[in-house]
Amino acid sequence: MSGYSEKNQIFIPPAELEKQVKFTSLVHTMLASRYPDSPKAFVHTYGCQGNVSDSEKIKGQLKKMGYSFVDSPEDADLVLFNTCAVREHAEDRVFGNVGALKPIKEKKKDMLIVLCGCMMQQKHIADRIKRSYPYVNLVFGTFAIHRLPEMLYTVLSRGKRVFEIEENAGTIAEGLPTERDRGAKAWLPIMYGCNNFCSYCIVPYVRGRERSRLPEDILAEARELVASGAKDITLLGQNVNSYGKNPDCGVNFASLIRQINDIEGDFVIRFMTSHPKDCTYELLDAMAECKKVARHLHLPVQSGNNRVLAEMNRKYTREQYLDLIAYAKKRMPDLSLTSDIIVGFPGETYEEFLDTVSLIKEVGYTSLFTFIYSKREGTKAASMPDPVSYKEKSKWFKELCDAQEEIAARRTASMVGKTYRVLVEPNDREGWLTGRTSGNISIDFEGDAALIGQFAEIEVTEAKTWILYGKKK
Ligand code: SF4
């Protein structure tokens, strides 16, 4: 499986992974003697799909150690929070939720509390947990996931608190057990880390340097997923467009999606996140020519103003971005485009913000992920002058959302009367289902739950701004 060699030490050596298998079995034996019914774990994930995918590996390892999963911390013998560092708000929520575990732990002394993920990879956060949350048993960063069995063994056998926040450029652990619970949908990580150092972003500091899995490992996993019933596979990475740059890879992202497209079976290929500076015509051609690749491109622009883009260290201009969009639309007229936008980057003026509004109108996005700038300690932007008040930024934010709402309403209205092939998913409303189009747009319709996980043809009958209604053909 792994491309480990003495020369290529991105990959965790097989001997280390075997050692973890032994710790898995030791923990399993220990837990079996303490919990006659299997021990219960509650795993909660904050943040992006990368974290969700990591949690699948964490749950895979916990399951091998004997844990089954529950939906609330009160019912759990082990509570694990996989945290996110991208926005201050998410960090505040984690501290609040860890605080809320204290009374539960007071009643249930043996309960283990484990914190991991990007937030914990920051030393000042791990130090705060050590100081102020003495009931937390185990804290580990993003580079230690494969060592969970050994760390848990130390906690259980010696009753010691463990803090494992190693500084690391990043590695790849192949072959970890994975517990997937997304039905016919699956995440497939193809690379980890980021080299871009966008000036507002903490990710390169907490997830290490960019490194790609070998194509043969990715293809083998994709084949397994398809064989086990996956119908919607999302390739994951912080910047998937620069896939394949480490030695021994020999394949770029465009070729990788062509190879996955060649795997037999009826399934959709999605990917995220793309970076405009690495998005090429070659990739857009591959998307257009591969039947299984979804007609959806999430291409975060962040700002429509060139000065702000330069300050963000994004390494493309508005004009280059719009050129890519024009080519993508030419090759795929039915393409659905989405993006991320930061409102109120330090030093941004209202006039510069208006360039973002004009850009979203020009592109015509299906939807946007919009955020008011959140200061991240340790990034370059954190030390930039930021004179505009939060209240003012909130007004700009609303203006952007209103503009996008009009664009989205026009787009959804244009879908009425047309029929789309969707992958059917559950819906909270009794007797209803949701279908996701190739463009990643949801359509709600009435139908039998037996359709969940299947493809179906749905005609759109009614459009509201953010929701489409339809009927099965
Ligand atoms: S590309 Fe930029 S925004 Fe995305 S993870 Fe890397 S540094 Fe952060």
Side-chain angles (χ1 to χ4, degrees), residues 412 415-420 443 458-463 468-471:
T412 48
M415 293 171 72
V416 175
K418 295 185 186 145
T419 297
Y420 295 85
I443 309 173
I458 304 295
E459 183 189 337
V460 177
T461 51
E462 187 191 348
L468 290 164
Y469 295 99
K471 63 168 192 260

Side-chain angles (χ1 to χ4, degrees), residues 304-321:
N305 176 271
N306 283 338
R307 191 198 68 80
V308 176
L309 286 171
E311 288 292 303
M312 289 176 165
N313 195 29
R314 292 290 288 175
K315 300 199 175 75
Y316 54 84
T317 62
R318 174 190 177 101
E319 293 72 26
Q320 285 163 338
Y321 183 90

Side-chain angles (χ1 to χ4, degrees), residues 323-371:
D323 174 71
L324 275 174
I325 296 290
Y327 187 76
K329 284 181 175 175
K330 189 169 114 203
R331 291 298 325 255
M332 294 165 279
D334 55 345
L335 185 67
S336 162
L337 288 151
T338 56
S339 192
D340 298 340
I341 305 270
I342 295 174
V343 174
F345 183 78
E348 184 177 36
T349 64
Y350 182 62
E351 286 65 36
E352 289 169 336
F353 160 74
L354 289 179
D355 286 341
T356 303
V357 179
S358 78
L359 182 134
I360 69 156
K361 289 180 178 165
E362 192 167 340
V363 175
Y365 294 107
T366 305
S367 61
L368 287 178
F369 297 90
T370 40
F371 305 99

Side-chain angles (χ1 to χ4, degrees), residues 194 196-198 200-201 203-204 238-239 275 302 314:
C194 181
N196 290 316
F197 291 93
C198 299
Y200 51 83
C201 184
V203 168
Q238 299 298 340
N239 177 12
H275 193 305
Q302 307 297 5
R314 292 290 288 175

